Amino acid sequence: MAWQRFVAVGDSFTEGVGDPGPDGGLVGWADRLAALLSAAQGGVEYANLAVRGRLLGQVVDEQLPAALALAPDLVSVVAGGNDLLRPGADPDALAAVMEDAVVRLRAGGADVLLATGVDPRATPLIGRTRGRSATYNAHLWSIAARHGAHVLDQWGAAWVQDARMWDVDRLHLAPEGHRRTALAAAAALGLSVDPAWAVPLDPAPPLARRERVAGEVAWVRSFVVPWVGRRLRGRSSGDGRTAKRPVPTPV
């Protein structure tokens, strides 16, 4: 199927954090997917309404009406990850909000692309969210089956567990991770792409214990402590930010 207008909504993952462009802006998997769609079908209009730090409710309340107003025929909705990082997050309640969003988009005539979260088993601290993340992912598959949505499966991707696919903050993909995610998304949508994106990298040389410990300490100091500080102050990394590409333009 050829899509004429693709709109992406979500948080930092879809905004493209971790994938800087040559002009100083962000690229990201959604921008890369738009380019793949355009190349495959001879053009597509694309808008990206995602803003870092947004919770699922904010995405649905703020971005979904704007997306529907653009009359898209394809919408990617990837959100809920920021919610799941918070203690006490309820994946069942989040799934109900997501299903309502999918129903609204499908009723508006758009195909929908969802994405499961990445399995956090290898990441200290974040790994504690694995149970509720898995529950939310299971809901996403069920939602997709009920409403005819496409699903980008990040949970089952072996290559994404490689630390080299991630930015130094361990929360956002690095450029190669975004590139592979775009190809995985294209495959989920039925496009013909080179399957090499799914092949893991050769194993990296092991780090000495001292290097591993130093890396953990630096990560906690540079990223975990500031994140906790923002939570305590009721702040978000996306405060004051707006969508990077609010108007659909040709790719």
Side-chain angles (χ1 to χ4, degrees), residues 165-247:
M165 296 293 171
W166 293 87
D167 197 14
V168 293
D169 65 5
R170 305 185 189 178
L171 287 172
H172 301 102
L173 292 170
E176 177 62 9
H178 278 283
R179 185 188 74 84
R180 289 185 180 228
T181 297
L183 289 165
L189 291 170
L191 274 66
S192 178
V193 295
D194 186 346
W197 61 265
V199 179
L201 298 176
D202 292 334
L207 292 175
R209 183 176 183 279
R210 179 176 296 181
E211 290 180 276
R212 292 200 307 272
V213 172
E216 294 300 318
V217 171
W219 175 66
V220 170
R221 181 184 299 118
S222 299
F223 300 105
V224 177
V225 172
W227 184 88
V228 171
R230 288 196 299 272
R231 298 290 77 73
L232 293 175
R233 297 192 304 272
R235 301 295 302 277
S236 166
S237 58
D239 288 347
R241 291 185 175 272
T242 57
K244 68 176 185 179
R245 188 170 178 147
V247 178

Side-chain angles (χ1 to χ4, degrees), residues 57-79:
Q58 294 173 312
V59 170
V60 171
D61 292 344
E62 300 167 7
Q63 298 176 24
L64 196 67
L68 284 166
L70 298 175
D73 50 15
L74 175 63
V75 179
S76 65
V77 188
V78 186

Side-chain angles (χ1 to χ4, degrees), residues 116-153:
T116 67
V118 174
D119 186 347
R121 67 182 185 272
T123 307
L125 299 181
I126 300 173
R128 297 181 180 182
T129 69
R130 192 180 190 218
R132 55 181 177 263
S133 296
T135 300
Y136 184 57
N137 285 345
H139 278 301
L140 293 178
W141 283 108
S142 297
I143 291 167
R146 284 193 290 270
H147 304 291
H150 303 270
V151 181
L152 162 62
D153 181 17

Side-chain angles (χ1 to χ4, degrees), residues 19-44:
D19 189 13
D23 62 353
L26 295 173
V27 185
W29 73 272
D31 289 27
R32 294 171 181 270
L33 173 59
L36 292 170
L37 289 170
S38 182
Q41 59 189 34
V44 68

